[in-house]
Amino acid sequence: DDSKRIHTNIHSTLESNPKQSEPPVVDAAIVSHIFWPALTSIPIKNHPRIQSKLDQFSIEYAKLKNPRRLVWMKQLGTVELDVEAYEED
């Protein structure tokens, strides 16, 4: 599947970047607008650290699929969090 191949290529490129201190965290399903229903983009502002990860992914996608660009449908995304809770004595 093209989406998985692109995703793997982008992650490989980001992981091999010496400026990259953290592993890639964006996991995107890339779907053509031709196969997706018309959606209205809802303005959602991401935290700057998350936005920078999305921007990195978008830049690498544009390099692979020039002249295509990603349009993030933020209202369709999910986030996986690891929460650690401690009891106070």
Side-chain angles (χ1 to χ4, degrees):
D1 154 57
D2 195 41
S3 180
K4 288 180 184 178
R5 184 182 54 76
I6 292 168
H7 182 269
T8 302
N9 286 342
I10 291 172
H11 274 238
S12 289
T13 302
L14 292 174
E15 287 171 349
S16 66
N17 184 348
K19 295 179 185 177
Q20 186 75 19
S21 60
E22 300 173 351
V25 294
V26 176
D27 185 10
I30 301 165
V31 181
S32 170
H33 70 90
I34 296 168
F35 302 106
W36 196 259
L39 295 171
T40 304
S41 183
I42 298 171
I44 298 173
K45 186 173 181 178
N46 290 319
H47 186 279
R49 287 179 66 190
I50 293 171
Q51 188 60 50
S52 72
K53 301 296 184 188
L54 293 173
D55 292 344
Q56 288 173 345
F57 193 94
S58 293
I59 289 166
E60 294 305 321
Y61 178 85
K63 288 177 186 175
L64 283 173
K65 300 297 271 184
N66 193 26
R68 296 181 190 159
R69 301 288 181 258
L70 291 176
V71 175
W72 294 101
M73 303 305 279
K74 297 172 187 172
Q75 73 272 20
L76 299 177
T78 60
V79 176
E80 185 177 317
L81 298 174
D82 291 325
V83 178
E84 295 180 17
Y86 300 97
E87 279 189 36
E88 292 186 28
D89 292 331

